[in-house]
Every structure is written in C-alpha cells, then in structure tokens.
Amino acid sequence: MEAAKNEVAKLPPGAVIVADASLRDSSAKELINWQKAEGFTFPVIAIVNNLNGPDLLEVMKGGGAVDVVQRAGWKTQARMTP
C-alpha cells in the first residue's frame, strides 16, 4: 500500500488510477479512501475477478471506484473505452 500511495502522490492532474481490487497488502477501496482523505481526486477504475461477486460490491460501495472491469477482459475493455 505504501508503494501505491507514493505513486498516487506523484500523479499529474487529470490522471486516472487503474488498480486491482485486491492489492497485495490492501485493497482498491482502501486506496480510494486514503486518496480522498489526502485530498486527491483521481478517478479509480478497479479490476475485479468477477463482475457479479462480492469484490465488485466492496469496491463500488460508498462511491468508491468510478468504474469496474473484469480481469478476464480488461485489456479489451480498456481499448474500447474513449
């Protein structure tokens, strides 16, 4: 999580964060909450294993991620998104 925090702090205005819903020592939701507390407003796209599973609900709960993509198709979805 510390590495993610350090990288977020270096991002330029207008950047978008793409994060795995389950980070090695944390979660995308925790990263979203941290960045909000620090005053960062970068939108976060979370990558989840299952679009119908509890990981999807967890990362979206409370206005967390702005979008969610399923791991199996994230490269295709990322290319198709304007």
Side-chain angles (χ1 to χ4, degrees), residues 1-45:
M1 183 65 164
E2 290 306 312
K5 290 177 181 179
N6 290 334
E7 292 303 315
V8 169
K10 295 185 228 176
L11 291 174
V16 175
I17 298 169
V18 178
D20 194 307
S22 300
L23 302 172
R24 185 177 327 141
D25 58 349
S26 186
S27 68
K29 184 174 181 183
E30 188 174 333
L31 180 62
I32 292 165
N33 291 337
W34 170 83
Q35 76 148 354
K36 285 181 180 179
E38 293 295 316
F40 296 111
T41 58
F42 301 115
V44 176
I45 298 171

Side-chain angles (χ1 to χ4, degrees), residues 39-59:
F40 296 111
T41 58
F42 301 115
V44 176
I45 298 171
I47 300 171
V48 298
N49 288 323
N50 185 346
L51 288 175
N52 296 320
D55 48 354
L56 169 68
L57 297 175
E58 182 61 28
V59 77

